[in-house]
Amino acid sequence: MRRRAAAALGAAALTLVSACGGGLSTESAIQPGLEVGSVQENEIRVEANPIRPGASPQEVVEGFIRAAAASDDQFQVARSYLTPDAAAGWRPDTSVVVFGNESVLDISEADGGDVRAKATATARVDGTGRYQELPANSTVEVDFQVVQREGEWRITKLPENFGTWLSNSDFLRLYDPFRIYFLSASQRRLVPDVRWLPLGTGLATRLARSLLSGAPEYLRGAVRSDVPAGTRLAVDAVTIDSGTATVDLTATRLAADPGQRQNLGAQFLATVSQAPGVDRVALQLEGADLRVPGVEGALDSLSTLGFGTPSEPEVKPLLRIGTTLVPVRPEEVGDPGGRPAPPQAAALPTLQPGWAYPALSRTGSEVAAVGGDRAQLARWRGKTQVQVLTFGSQLTRPTYDTQDILWVAGRDGDLTRVWVVNTAADPADAAKSGPRALSAPWLEGRRVVSLRVSPDGQRLAVVSTTEAGKGPRLDVTGVVRQTGGVPASLAPPLSLAPTLTLMRDVVWVDDATLVVLGRRNSTQVLRPWTVPLGGQITAGPEISGARTITTINGERGLVVTTDDRQVLLRAGSRWQRVGEGTDLLVAAR
């Protein structure tokens, strides 16, 4: 016998009810796990229908999967489909399998009387909250053991590591992405990792635990945490009272250094304050207030902890018109009528037609480009060409990071390489200013198409293909730097966007989001795809013949160049030509 059910996984079997209007008494004491004064995330919750007497084994398994989409934090209805032992051992947060809303859940009888569930999945979320998009048409299949007790069927054994299966709409209702903040290993700034966590009671606790679990592998060596290893919550919850979240820690050793205390405070403040109703974070060490230098009472400002918004030089983008580079204000991009004539005495180089893919440094004082044969890399300071390097072939478009390092990738004989050039060194000093290859064994057998460094300088996004130009892949890897900021190595990568079958270029639009120029299948026109570090990718407006992509203002200010040498600015759902010009250079992009 076979049953097929729409993978809204709950639309028919779940009932919408209004959230209770009552709340906790203001007289109530704060209890572990009880978020006093927290904000109700929404006014509608979903409840599952209880198990039907006489339900068949297939109906029991289907009902259990559907019931897990309810808004009940304790999953009491879902547990009623299990035997007591199975209910006690089930951990719903072990993993989540996400389905498209149009998918079909297939329930059938398996060998030995088990019940098999099968569906097409779009993503998985592991127990740490890491969201992994799956390749197109991925299927998952698991078997449930069932038993009949007192005339009623129940699930007696769950598949290994089974958590929940949710439709995409249910997943987006029950989960949200949050940023877990670590410290840059080379600068005083925060670097985020993205985790998807269930909403509702205990969110602040889950955020704190995510921070305590440490940095992920792809950031290994690129970030650090001033939360000592082995630190855990002294009580089993973060409590919230009148906007203050209290995080009580237990640690074998806690640094007395003022800077490290401030760093620890900044990590918890930036991470835990994302929970609804949290304005401040108070730290305790086993019940005693933990003092953070420079702060009286609870933490409420990153700037007082030394983590203000990093200031970068205001550098105008450069529009390439023929061999001339013309400075333009960002607000003038797309408005050729308001653009002044090219300044005659501007300290900018003349780029002959043989130089392609120009890039602009963070301060605007330097320009780089590769030769037309993609075998040379040149640098200019002002009008003067200061260096021409020949060290590889098939060089990518170069890019500067915020620490004055010039990046480029290409081929060195049969090997794929990622090189860095320290532009702070004297160009005449070949030992210090020459290209240095970084180890990246995960690029073996692949060719790099594009690479870009994140705004914080601690992560590198790399688009690559197989030797034959197939199998595109987007990887994000941590940048491990030496003292002085020069990169030393790359961490193992995090792969993203496996559903894209073509990728031409990539750019960071904020500290946790990329945009990739690509498509999902050969019948589609190229377009920008927004790719978060964790989450679903989304499509932007089509742009035929797009070749490169950059940005002057996050996702709203995307700029592309095309195969027919036009520069186009995104204007809502369309593209606007940026007057005459073939390239737009944006500082440290």
Side-chain angles (χ1 to χ4, degrees):
M1 178 175 131
R2 183 176 296 269
R3 294 175 55 86
R4 298 179 69 84
L9 300 185
L14 300 176
T15 305
L16 291 175
V17 297
S18 298
C20 297
L24 294 170
S25 166
T26 55
E27 304 283 320
S28 300
I30 301 174
Q31 301 294 329
L34 190 65
E35 298 195 356
V36 181
S38 62
V39 175
Q40 180 74 24
E41 281 84 4
N42 53 63
E43 296 181 354
I44 295 179
R45 59 189 175 93
V46 175
E47 290 186 352
N49 290 329
I51 189 168
R52 179 181 64 81
S56 70
Q58 290 85 359
E59 289 173 330
V60 168
V61 170
E62 180 184 332
F64 167 69
I65 293 175
R66 291 178 180 278
S71 302
D72 174 15
D73 285 341
Q74 302 303 315
F75 298 90
Q76 293 301 325
V77 175
R79 292 182 192 279
S80 71
Y81 288 79
L82 311 176
T83 62
D85 286 347
W90 178 44
R91 298 292 180 266
D93 58 357
T94 298
S95 65
V96 181
V97 172
V98 184
F99 304 92
N101 296 327
E102 296 77 26
S103 299
V104 172
L105 175 66
D106 191 345
I107 306 293
S108 63
E109 185 176 347
D111 296 338
D114 291 352
V115 176
R116 179 163 297 159
K118 181 179 179 180
T120 301
T122 59
R124 289 182 182 272
V125 180
D126 66 18
T128 69
R130 169 73 57 211
Y131 184 107
Q132 178 191 12
E133 186 185 22
L134 298 177
N137 302 316
S138 295
T139 60
V140 290
E141 182 179 301
V142 294
D143 290 350
F144 296 81
Q145 291 184 14
V146 294
V147 66
Q148 193 172 34
R149 293 183 177 175
E150 298 180 359
E152 298 292 343
W153 290 98
R154 294 293 184 271
I155 298 169
T156 187
K157 186 176 181 180
L158 294 164
E160 185 177 1
N161 297 322
F162 185 89
T164 57
W165 286 14
L166 300 174
S167 69
N168 185 61
S169 57
D170 281 331
F171 176 72
L172 295 178
R173 176 175 55 81
L174 297 171
Y175 282 73
D176 257 352
F178 296 92
R179 298 183 180 194
I180 310 303
Y181 285 93
F182 301 96
L183 301 164
S184 166
S186 63
Q187 302 179 86
R188 190 172 174 80
R189 63 189 298 169
L190 296 170
V191 179
D193 183 40
V194 177
R195 314 283 177 88
W196 283 78
L197 302 176
L199 301 171
T201 303
L203 175 57
T205 303
R206 289 187 283 272
L207 287 165
R209 285 179 177 155
S210 295
L211 177 56
L212 293 173
S213 69
E217 186 179 22
Y218 82 96
L219 293 178
R220 189 175 65 200
V223 301
R224 72 177 201 278
S225 177
D226 276 352
V227 181
T231 301
R232 63 184 191 277
L233 294 177
V235 294
D236 199 30
V238 172
T239 59
I240 302 173
D241 187 12
S242 302
T244 299
T246 300
V247 182
D248 194 356
L249 303 172
T250 178
T252 54
R253 64 185 189 281
L254 200 62
D257 177 77
Q260 290 182 300
R261 286 284 183 95
Q262 289 180 332
N263 293 343
L264 178 149
Q267 287 184 259
F268 275 106
L269 176 60
T271 300
V272 177
S273 62
Q274 295 171 92
V278 175
D279 302 313
R280 299 167 297 280
V281 173
L283 298 179
Q284 293 183 343
L285 184 60
E286 297 183 351
D289 290 342
L290 181 61
R291 186 176 179 277
V292 176
V295 179
E296 293 294 332
L299 310 175
D300 62 2
S301 170
L302 288 173
S303 61
T304 61
L305 297 170
F307 288 86
T309 303
S311 60
E312 297 292 346
E314 292 187 10
V315 178
K316 294 179 181 179
L318 301 179
L319 182 65
R320 183 179 185 180
I321 304 175
T323 62
T324 304
L325 296 177
V326 181
V328 293
R329 290 192 296 270
E331 62 270 20
E332 290 176 346
V333 173
D335 180 20
R339 188 178 304 130
Q344 298 301 311
L348 294 169
T350 297
L351 292 185
Q352 297 301 325
W355 294 108
Y357 303 115
L360 182 64
S361 69
R362 175 184 66 93
T363 61
S365 61
E366 184 168 306
V367 170
V370 298
D373 59 358
R374 297 174 60 194
Q376 288 184 314
L377 175 67
R379 295 167 53 202
W380 291 263
R381 289 180 178 172
K383 292 179 175 290
T384 304
Q385 187 178 75
V386 296
Q387 196 174 42
V388 178
L389 300 167
T390 303
F391 54 90
S393 62
Q394 300 179 39
L395 298 181
T396 63
R397 183 171 70 165
T399 185
Y400 290 88
D401 68 19
T402 56
Q403 299 187 51
D404 299 320
I405 301 296
L406 179 62
W407 295 72
V408 70
R411 302 285 289 181
D412 180 8
D414 294 332
L415 300 176
T416 294
R417 298 286 195 193
V418 174
W419 291 279
V420 293
V421 175
N422 181 9
T423 65
D426 183 352
D429 187 338
K432 292 183 178 179
S433 67
R436 182 172 182 270
L438 302 181
S439 174
W442 41 273
L443 284 173
E444 183 178 354
R446 302 190 66 81
R447 294 178 183 266
V448 176
V449 175
S450 174
L451 76 170
R452 292 290 180 277
V453 185
S454 62
D456 51 58
Q458 296 306 117
R459 293 158 296 167
L460 178 71
V462 180
V463 172
S464 67
T465 68
T466 64
E467 299 277 5
K470 306 293 185 181
R473 196 175 75 199
L474 171 62
D475 294 314
V476 174
T477 171
V479 178
V480 183
R481 296 180 185 262
Q482 303 171 342
T483 302
V486 177
S489 62
L490 300 174
L494 170 70
S495 294
L496 302 171
T499 57
L500 295 181
T501 62
L502 176 68
M503 303 184 196
R504 278 198 170 181
D505 202 6
V506 63
V507 67
W508 292 83
V509 292
D510 64 32
D511 60 1
T513 311
L514 297 139
V515 169
V516 174
L517 199 55
R519 67 188 182 205
R520 272 187 164 155
N521 60 63
S522 58
T523 65
Q524 292 181 336
V525 176
L526 286 170
R527 64 176 75 212
W529 291 84
T530 300
V531 182
L533 285 183
Q536 302 171 10
I537 69 173
T538 55
E542 294 181 349
I543 175 64
S544 180
R547 179 171 56 98
T548 67
I549 191 165
T550 187
T551 179
I552 57 172
N553 182 28
E555 193 174 352
R556 294 179 299 175
L558 294 174
V559 180
V560 301
T561 63
T562 64
D563 291 332
D564 57 1
R565 302 176 68 80
Q566 293 187 56
V567 180
L568 303 172
L569 171 70
R570 181 175 180 175
S573 60
R574 61 186 181 86
W575 296 93
Q576 175 182 348
R577 185 171 180 180
V578 184
E580 298 297 328
T582 56
D583 292 289
L584 186 73
L585 289 63
V586 181
R589 295 288 187 182

